[in-house]
């Protein structure tokens, strides 16, 4: 019986455990999680801050799942060392757990800037962090969020939705500079301003005070609550101490295997072909590959990298960014439309007749179409305006309408679920979104595909005369 030990019980580790058990009922599975919580969906923590979801609603596995599936779960137990010679992991209490296969899914930790008073702030990374933020927000008169990336914007919008005046401070010249160009960052900042979030870019925080933060130059921004969302760093200490190859992350090959053939790494701690992925979809794709390999289900399984689509999950802010968004007209064909007053910005980056990047800010019916075209690398129609404005007569052949959407179109990016799979499980009796989610896992990642899934299910019910 193969002994599989998983270190890390977050979104990657928990997914691996469930994938392995789905393929092999007899493998001996042990998972260690440093947090005492059952595994939860970290992507949805901004909804907890905003108050639109409760902590128990972001849980990935039911508490009874482990016992029901014969998995030994060691929650709140930190693994401090890997003994590769004897093939065992060692915990902080001295327990030794032998393995035949070890999977490192240690994730990332929040980056805390080295400024005086950093201990007065709350990082935004874990469920415990969320609870600390909510406790402080209850008595706060104002908040500062440091960091204008994805998490920082979601945290700021969530706190503003609770009625707190919020100032968002960002070091770079515009928000989400990794995913957005300067114009998109400006439009996003103006949109946030209308929602109660004051944004300031190009500022340096020099100290965190009891009553706010001090900026370079001496200015003080007052706040009772300071939240840090300054990025994350892969947790690689365990692998490095064990002598494994570590660069920015734990280096793995296409099998997600480290330079020790019995040790794998997946998720935010893993570096594949020079890239460390910080989104859920790649982690879940990697978990499926490792599960196939370690159970022998598919010995040819390989991970070839992921085409990333970033979605902002903030109420009243619609944003999707994908691929190479920073290319200029000298490097590619660029089609764009900006309407700052309406909070709308759309940009397509096209190379060799194919979509290699896009930014879609503000409500647009083009998101589904463009995501499909980007994911499939399909040739684009000649009418570029029709891609940005699907209502025009000559719009793209791939459509958002369930009627014209091909069965191969990917609806849920996180779980790689197509329209055809949704149709198949509907025909098998899954007649609402909850049933489809249970059968396919669609909507259980970032949640961005929920409207599309609802639309497909509703359309199928309407076609067959089934009550919705």
């Amino acid at each position: 019986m193969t002994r599989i030990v998983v270190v890390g019980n977050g979104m990657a580790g928990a997914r691996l455990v469930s994938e392995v058990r789905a393929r092999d009922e007899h493998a001996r599975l042990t998972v260690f999680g440093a947090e005492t919580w059952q595994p939860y969906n970290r992507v949805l923590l901004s909804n907890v801050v905003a108050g639109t979801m409760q902590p128990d609603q972001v849980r990935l596995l039911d508490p009874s799942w482990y016992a029901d599936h014969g998995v030994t779960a060691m929650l709140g137990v930190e693994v401090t060392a890997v003994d590769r010679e004897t093939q065992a992991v060692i915990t902080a209490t001295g327990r030794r757990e032998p393995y035949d296969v070890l999977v490192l899914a240690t994730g990332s930790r929040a980056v805390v800037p080295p400024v005086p008073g950093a201990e007065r702030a709350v990082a935004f990374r874990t469920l415990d962090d969320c609870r600390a933020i909510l406790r402080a927000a209850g008595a706060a008169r104002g908040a500062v969020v440091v960091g204008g990336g994805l998490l920082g914007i979601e945290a700021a919008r969530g706190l503003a939705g609770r009625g707190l005046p919020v100032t968002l401070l960002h070091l770079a010249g515009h928000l989400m500079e990794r995913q957005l160009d300067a114009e998109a960052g400006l439009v996003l900042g103006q949109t946030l301003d209308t929602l109660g979030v004051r944004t300031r870019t190009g500022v340096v925080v020099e100290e965190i005070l009891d009553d706010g933060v001090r900026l370079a130059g001496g200015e003080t921004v007052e706040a009772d609550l300071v939240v840090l969302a300054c990025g994350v760093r892969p947790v690689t200490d365990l692998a490095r101490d064990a002598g494994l190859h570590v660069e920015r992350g734990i280096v793995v090959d296409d099998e997600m295997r480290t330079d020790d053939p019995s040790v794998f790494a997946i998720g935010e701690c893993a570096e594949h072909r020079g890239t460390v992925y910080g989104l859920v979809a790649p982690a879940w794709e990697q978990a499926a590959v490792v599960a196939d390999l370690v159970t022998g289900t598919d010995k040819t399984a390989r991970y070839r990298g992921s085409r990333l689509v970033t979605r902002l999950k903030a109420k009243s802010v619609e944003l999707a960014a994908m691929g190479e968004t920073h290319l200029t007209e000298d490097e590619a064909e660029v089609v764009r439309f900006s309407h700052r007053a309406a909070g709308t910005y759309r940009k397509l980056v096209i190379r060799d007749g194919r979509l290699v990047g896009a930014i879609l800010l503000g409500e647009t019916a083009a998101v589904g179409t463009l995501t499909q075209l980007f994911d499939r690398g399909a040739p684009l129609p000649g009418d570029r305006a029709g891609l940005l404005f699907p209502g025009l007569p000559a719009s793209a052949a791939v459509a958002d309408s369930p009627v014209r959407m091909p069965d191969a179109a990917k609806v849920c990016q996180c779980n790689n679920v197509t329209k055809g799979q949704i149709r198949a499980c509907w025909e098998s009796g899954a007649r609402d979104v909850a049933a489809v989610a249970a059968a396919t896992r669609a909507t259980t990642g970032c949640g961005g595909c929920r409207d599309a899934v609802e639309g497909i299910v509703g359309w199928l019910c309407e076609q067959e005369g089934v009550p919705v």
Side-chain angles (χ1 to χ4, degrees):
M1 184 183 298
T2 303
R3 299 170 300 181
I4 301 172
V5 171
V6 182
V7 179
N9 198 31
M11 296 187 74
R15 182 57 166 254
L16 175 72
V17 169
S18 63
E19 293 274 7
V20 168
R21 186 51 84 223
R23 292 162 172 76
D24 187 341
E25 298 178 358
H26 305 293
R28 179 177 165 183
L29 269 170
T30 303
V31 58
F32 291 88
E35 292 185 71
T36 56
W37 299 101
Q38 299 286 338
Y40 55 87
N41 189 331
R42 202 181 301 277
V43 177
L44 300 178
L45 289 183
S46 57
N47 293 346
V48 176
V49 171
T52 58
M53 298 183 78
Q54 296 300 313
D56 61 349
Q57 292 178 288
V58 300
R59 191 171 57 202
L60 287 172
L61 294 175
D62 188 271
S64 63
W65 187 91
Y66 297 106
D68 292 345
H69 292 83
V71 176
T72 302
M74 308 296 293
L75 304 184
V77 178
E78 182 183 3
V79 172
T80 56
V82 176
D83 185 341
R84 290 167 54 199
E85 288 190 10
T86 63
Q87 294 198 171
V89 299
I90 304 165
T91 71
T93 60
R95 169 178 173 153
R96 295 179 67 90
E97 182 71 31
Y99 65 82
D100 299 307
V101 171
L102 173 63
V103 182
L104 300 176
T106 47
S108 296
R109 62 170 61 96
V111 172
V112 177
V115 298
E119 70 282 355
R120 297 186 178 101
V122 183
F124 179 41
R125 176 64 180 165
T126 68
L127 192 51
D128 284 332
D129 294 337
C130 277
R131 289 177 174 264
I133 290 170
L134 294 179
R135 284 195 301 269
R141 291 166 295 176
V144 161
V145 176
V146 182
L150 198 67
L151 286 180
I153 292 171
E154 291 178 355
R157 176 66 185 102
L159 290 170
R162 289 179 172 271
L164 273 180
V166 179
T167 301
L168 178 62
L169 305 175
H170 192 46
L171 176 63
H174 66 271
L175 299 175
M176 290 181 65
E177 73 280 0
R178 291 186 180 180
Q179 295 90 4
L180 306 183
D181 59 19
E183 175 70 9
L186 178 62
V187 176
L188 176 58
Q190 292 179 337
T191 300
L192 291 171
D193 188 63
T194 66
L195 298 171
V197 178
R198 180 189 179 208
T199 63
R200 296 186 58 183
T201 58
V203 295
V204 177
V205 174
E206 287 198 337
E207 184 176 5
I208 298 173
L209 311 170
D210 288 330
D211 57 353
V213 301
R214 181 173 58 80
L215 306 180
E219 179 187 354
T220 298
V221 180
E222 295 184 356
D224 303 301
L225 167 62
V226 179
V227 176
L228 299 178
C230 304
V232 295
R233 183 176 295 119
V235 177
T236 58
D237 315 65
L238 201 62
R240 182 177 284 107
D241 292 345
L244 297 172
H245 183 195
V246 173
E247 293 184 7
R248 181 169 171 238
I250 305 168
V251 177
V252 295
D253 59 18
D254 288 357
E255 293 185 339
M256 303 308 297
R257 206 182 296 264
T258 68
D259 46 340
D260 181 332
S262 63
V263 181
F264 298 78
I266 60 173
E268 292 181 323
C269 68
E271 179 174 334
H272 175 263
R273 299 188 184 182
T275 299
V276 176
Y277 293 96
L279 298 176
V280 62
W284 286 356
E285 291 171 15
Q286 294 166 4
V289 168
V290 173
D292 279 339
L293 292 171
V294 301
T295 61
T297 304
D298 181 3
K299 294 183 179 180
T300 67
R302 299 292 184 271
Y303 177 69
R304 307 296 187 187
S306 298
R307 298 174 69 84
L308 298 183
V309 178
T310 301
R311 290 182 179 269
L312 182 66
K313 294 163 294 302
K315 187 178 179 181
S316 304
V317 184
E318 298 291 332
L319 172 62
M322 59 199 81
E324 302 175 72
T325 58
H326 291 88
L327 296 182
T328 66
E329 283 83 352
D330 294 333
E331 302 167 293
E333 178 188 350
V334 178
V335 183
R336 74 181 92 217
F337 170 82
S338 181
H339 187 187
R340 295 184 186 179
T344 300
Y345 181 75
R346 302 173 188 177
K347 178 181 181 180
L348 306 181
V349 182
I350 301 163
R351 186 194 290 128
D352 299 327
R354 287 170 167 76
L355 187 68
V356 297
I359 300 172
L360 300 165
L361 175 58
E363 289 190 20
T364 171
V367 174
T369 294
L370 293 172
T371 301
Q372 293 167 33
L373 291 168
F374 171 72
D375 185 66
R376 289 155 48 189
L380 299 183
D383 175 37
R384 308 306 199 214
L387 289 170
L388 288 182
F389 304 98
L392 296 178
S395 60
V398 182
D400 287 315
S401 167
V403 179
R404 298 197 301 266
M405 184 186 296
D407 277 355
K410 190 181 296 184
V411 177
C412 177
Q413 297 289 323
C414 296
N415 290 287
N416 197 30
V417 180
T418 65
K419 176 201 170 184
Q421 290 171 298
I422 294 173
R423 181 201 292 271
C425 76
W426 185 91
E427 291 173 347
S428 297
R431 298 303 167 90
D432 56 30
V433 174
V436 169
T440 66
R441 289 174 167 160
T443 76
T444 64
C446 72
C449 64
R450 185 174 182 85
D451 288 347
V453 175
E454 286 180 345
I456 293 170
V457 171
W459 170 70
L460 289 168
C461 289
E462 182 181 343
Q463 295 298 302
E464 299 298 326
V466 176
V468 179

